[in-house]
Amino acid sequence: MHARLIQFPEQGLPGTLVRYTEGGGEPVEVEPRGAVALSSGSRLVYVIDAADAEAAGKEALADGLAGLPSDAFVVADLGGATDGMLRAVAGQRAVRTLVLSGDFTDEGVAALGSMPELTDLVLESPRFTGAGLAALAGSETAGSLDTLVLSGTTAFEPRSLAALAEAPHLASLAFESVPVDHALADALVALTPHLAEVSVAERPGHDLALDVLERLLAAGLSVNGIAAPPENAALFARAAAEAADTGAFEDEDAGDSEGGEPQERGVLREITDEAELDRLLAGPVPVLVDLTAPWCGPCSLLTPVLEDVVEACGDALTGVKIDVDRAGWAQERFDAMGVPTVILVRGGKESFRFSGVVDAPRLTGWLAAVGVTAG
């Protein structure tokens, strides 16, 4: 039995329409034409690359999008987007993730204020300066936005981020091909404390200047997955610079062993009982806590790296592994948004944390920065 029908233009829309069911089931591609049936729990994802389309074709696409019911999609990825297409997709009030790349301007972005479910927004256009964000201040979109990615916005003005102070749930900002200098750092620091994470395509210590990285860390921001208490900001900025000089950067294949899947060696102590963890944390030896899960691919890559580093440190470091599925208290206790998350606790206080996969030299450098060295 169908819960509802979404009516698409009889002539159809270009692009790909995928129907999926939240919580399970294989995605199914359907034709964006006529009545599309949705059962309870099923949602639609729409993807179009109109980069090579003629102006008339893009205008027709915008008209087609504007004529759809306001709850047609939950995800929309529009390549070759124009201001007209942005104004049209702004009527989709159920969209949660919106990816826009093309030649649109601030005028188009300013139209995106009526999307109360939007949590993730990607903007990629060389003509976007950021001025359009001001129109979103106090809007329904600003009230729901959690993550904003700015890519290839070569004309971007950092001061425009001030409008995001009225986006109370915005926790993560990512930049690709956008210079992260002191002007941008000023704007980012002004958005704390509700802004928690910053990601830049230029890795810390390489294209990101040492003093800028230190400012961001000192303000309490997580930068490319690494966070440290303000008193350790200078230590970690220097460690990042040293990693850049030696080439000890994060590797997508970090931890992968030759011949297939990485093998765990039991170096990390598995813990499910919080009281047991409390006893370890109260002791004199620093504890490296790995929050993981059996279904997490990056976790399986990271585990051998952690084992190597903990083993090399000998009696100077204790490593523990906590499966968050078996220990439901763990993520809340460490305020971790996801896995893998690794936290070093020393003397009852957090020294630093990171998320994602890193290589052994980089982790060894971070440990050394706070006085934990190989035995």
Side-chain angles (χ1 to χ4, degrees), residues 17 36 44 51-52 76 79 103-104 150 199 213 219 226 240 277 280 343:
L17 187 66
V36 174
L44 293 177
D52 297 327
D103 200 35
F104 56 85
L150 300 176
S199 298
L213 174 59
I226 178 70
L277 177 65
L280 285 175
I343 307 103

Side-chain angles (χ1 to χ4, degrees), residues 16-101:
T16 301
L17 187 66
V18 176
R19 181 176 58 211
Y20 74 98
T21 301
E22 293 183 334
E26 289 294 322
V28 177
E29 186 173 337
V30 296
E31 190 174 5
R33 179 192 305 274
V36 174
L38 295 181
S39 59
S40 179
S42 63
R43 304 288 185 266
L44 293 177
V45 174
Y46 179 63
V47 180
I48 175 67
D49 186 358
D52 297 327
E54 299 291 336
K58 293 183 178 182
E59 185 175 343
L61 175 58
D63 290 342
L65 290 172
L68 293 174
S70 63
D71 59 349
F73 317 123
V74 294
V75 177
D77 184 341
L78 307 182
T82 63
D83 285 345
M85 290 165 63
L86 266 63
R87 286 190 290 268
V89 80
Q92 290 300 312
R93 295 177 59 83
V95 166
R96 302 172 191 169
T97 299
L98 180 59
V99 180
L100 301 168
S101 60

Side-chain angles (χ1 to χ4, degrees), residues 119 145-149 169-174 194-199:
T119 58
L145 196 61
D146 176 78
T147 301
L148 175 62
V149 178
H169 301 295
L170 182 70
S172 178
L173 267 171
H194 71 271
L195 180 66
E197 300 177 358
V198 175
S199 298

